[in-house]
Amino acid sequence: MLYNIDLTMECRMHLIEERVTNFAREHKSDAGYLDVAANAHGAEKGQLMLRALTRLQHARPRVVEIGPGGGAAVAYLADQLAEQPADKRNVRLTLIEAPGVVSQSLSAAVERFGRVGECELRFGFAQDIGELLPEPVDVVSASALMHEVYSYGDGYGGLHTMMRTLPRVLAPGGFFAYRDVYAVHGPTLHGRVTQAYSSRAWLMFLRLFTPQYLAEGTHPYHRADDELVARQHSRIVAVGDLDPGTHAVISAPVGLFREIQRHYLTLRDHVWRSGILGFVPHLDGDLAADWVDFRAGHKRVHFRLDGDVEWLPGPHRMMLPALSEPYADHRTIDGDIFDAVSDVALLAFMGAVESGDRACWRVWEQWLLREGRETYAYMTLDQLLCAFVVHSAGAQTDTVMLPVQGDDITRVDRHYYNRFLTRQLANPLRDAKQLVLLRNVPRDDAVTMRQALEAVAGWCSKTSLARMYTAINKGDNWT
């Protein structure tokens, strides 16, 4: 039923070959993606690195950032160090990026950091960090990396390998600064919940995206109890056959709903940036932060009209100009109104994808290759902290990785997204980033170890805490 576009066999084979050989890599290394879309929140990405540096006692600390992207965290760290006394700036920074991934903004950030410390760029993959770092370092930072290791690096096996490798590349007492997508508040991603959908755009997205993600994405929802069950008119229907004009009630693991929700947001941003809808909002910079009420997630959206779009029905093209007002060389509109109008256009876009419009198909395919098969929330915080302790304890380094202080675990909510989700869904899941600073604690440091276990006690279940104690004490006299 889906994708009726009349592609030649050669074109289809090219798409398949591209998926196999360049799964996400080519599109994630695109300069426009790195310099703009993936280059925000520098302070959020760099604050854990800075906090780790303030707690180190070394005169010339070595810091490593895996996957610097457009260099937002590098630029932030450079600015913060520039305000420190000269004897506090002597930081040696190593950036590890995938081969062939470069951006102008990263080059500028490297030059900027060179004014306050040493900075070098190395090429390699996160899974090979043990070989890329021949000697122990003091801080390793990774933003939005772990979900990519999971999605493209053998699932949980890839994550566990990295957790066992990090204690070997970190000096005793060193830090791993981790930032990624927040999962859910609960013990497991497999807990079944029920969601109701009435928005035509969300129902269309469920129909387009979910079957493809379940068939081709790397995800943990393979158990018998993980089956997605959709009902319309009180009858069970396949999710790929959902009628966007009829309300649906769907039962599935909460983690799967988390994936659907996060992917909808990434698709929306991607389609906006592409200009395929006839407008391009400012999603970065000062104009992207024109808040009416920050904590409520209410803001004014600044955008520019991007020419005529023949495939989009006339009324859709007229709505934004009619509801917005001029502002300098572009236009501005209330964020709630913008979300409502742009979702109507997004529904038309997804309909055009199904009916075979080539331009819309290309935008959809680009998103699928870059983000559509990734799994963002692969562990709850409870599971993540437990996994780090268990696997780092098995790394044969006489150290264990875990947070030491209560504020080493923080969550940063995405207020704008959460406002949008609350207006669209009956039971939206919180959209946020999870920030965790883990220390490579020597097992014989009883004082720090007890402090660390107290810090994680409020975040972990008794079962996870028991696993942590067992892993720490196995073959050891620590009490």
Side-chain angles (χ1 to χ4, degrees), residues 69-142:
V74 178
Y76 169 81
L77 192 59
D79 290 344
Q80 295 302 306
L81 291 176
E83 298 178 2
Q84 301 292 324
D87 61 335
K88 300 291 186 181
R89 299 182 192 175
N90 203 6
V91 176
R92 295 172 291 170
L93 176 63
T94 299
L95 307 176
I96 297 178
E97 189 56 276
V101 177
V102 293
S103 73
Q104 292 181 349
S105 55
L106 178 60
S107 299
V110 169
E111 182 179 349
R112 194 165 167 179
F113 193 92
R115 303 186 189 115
V116 296
E118 301 175 21
C119 187
E120 65 167 334
L121 176 62
R122 298 181 185 178
F123 291 100
F125 297 105
Q127 294 90 330
D128 302 325
I129 187 174
E131 300 172 8
L132 294 169
L133 301 176
E135 59 183 34
V137 299
D138 300 298
V139 181
V140 173
S141 176

Side-chain angles (χ1 to χ4, degrees), residues 142-453:
S143 178
L145 170 79
M146 300 293 276
H147 76 252
E148 293 193 358
V149 171
Y150 176 88
S151 299
Y152 307 134
D154 300 324
Y156 287 118
L159 284 179
H160 297 161
T161 297
M162 175 161 279
M163 291 173 183
R164 289 190 293 268
T165 302
L166 282 168
R168 296 197 291 268
V169 300
L170 280 170
F175 292 90
F176 174 58
Y178 154 85
R179 172 187 176 272
D180 216 322
V181 175
Y182 174 74
V184 296
H185 180 66
T188 175
L189 293 167
H190 295 274
R192 290 194 72 82
V193 296
T194 300
Q195 291 274 22
Y197 292 89
S198 58
S199 164
R200 292 176 64 91
W202 282 83
L203 286 161
M204 179 73 85
F205 180 74
L206 282 160
R207 186 167 85 181
L208 273 169
F209 164 73
T210 312
Q212 189 132 7
Y213 172 73
L214 291 176
E216 300 183 21
T218 299
H219 60 81
Y221 307 108
H222 302 287
R223 309 185 313 183
D225 292 340
D226 291 336
E227 180 187 12
L228 182 149
V229 180
R231 287 181 172 85
Q232 288 186 314
H233 298 300
S234 300
R235 295 181 179 179
I236 295 178
V237 297
V239 68
D241 294 331
L242 284 172
D243 177 3
T246 302
H247 292 213
V249 176
I250 302 178
S251 173
V254 65
L256 181 53
F257 284 121
R258 183 70 180 80
E259 294 307 308
I260 292 169
Q261 183 177 292
R262 178 102 282 274
H263 280 88
Y264 185 97
L265 296 175
T266 66
L267 173 67
R268 193 178 70 144
D269 287 357
H270 175 79
V271 174
W272 282 353
R273 292 181 189 278
S274 73
I276 193 70
L277 301 182
F279 59 84
V280 178
H282 289 269
L283 300 180
D284 311 282
D286 294 337
L287 291 177
D290 187 1
W291 295 103
V292 176
D293 186 334
F294 172 71
R295 292 199 172 276
H298 189 197
K299 70 178 180 178
R300 282 175 289 269
V301 173
H302 295 255
F303 69 96
R304 59 180 171 82
L305 296 173
D306 200 36
D308 193 24
V309 183
E310 294 182 0
W311 67 269
L312 195 63
H316 294 69
R317 299 196 297 269
M318 294 168 54
M319 281 192 291
L320 271 182
L323 295 171
S324 61
E325 57 188 44
Y327 186 98
D329 62 346
H330 58 277
R331 302 186 73 84
T332 186
I333 187 173
D334 178 84
D336 293 343
I337 297 175
F338 178 80
D339 288 344
V341 172
S342 62
D343 253 31
V344 173
L346 187 62
L347 173 63
F349 164 82
M350 289 185 285
V353 171
E354 282 195 340
S355 63
D357 181 89
R358 286 182 176 272
C360 293
W361 164 270
R362 283 193 295 270
V363 173
W364 170 264
E365 185 69 12
Q366 288 168 358
W367 172 76
L368 275 182
L369 289 168
R370 180 183 295 159
E371 312 233 15
R373 296 173 180 84
E374 292 186 358
T375 290
Y376 298 110
Y378 41 84
M379 290 184 187
T380 64
L381 182 59
D382 175 9
Q383 294 169 330
L384 182 78
L385 294 174
C386 182
F388 259 110
V389 171
V390 170
H391 292 286
S392 64
Q396 299 179 335
T397 59
D398 292 325
T399 58
V400 180
M401 293 188 63
L402 68 177
V404 172
Q405 300 179 1
D407 60 357
D408 285 345
I409 304 171
T410 57
R411 185 189 69 215
V412 181
D413 291 337
R414 293 291 182 254
H415 299 300
Y416 171 62
Y417 285 145
N418 287 322
R419 181 183 181 89
F420 167 74
L421 293 167
T422 299
R423 296 166 67 89
Q424 292 284 316
L425 304 176
N427 299 297
L429 300 169
R430 184 188 300 273
D431 193 82
K433 292 293 184 181
Q434 189 70 61
L435 284 69
V436 183
L437 186 61
L438 300 112
R439 191 163 195 177
N440 197 28
V441 182
R443 290 200 208 192
D444 59 3
D445 186 350
V447 173
T448 304
M449 192 68 74
R450 288 196 182 94
Q451 181 183 356
L453 289 171

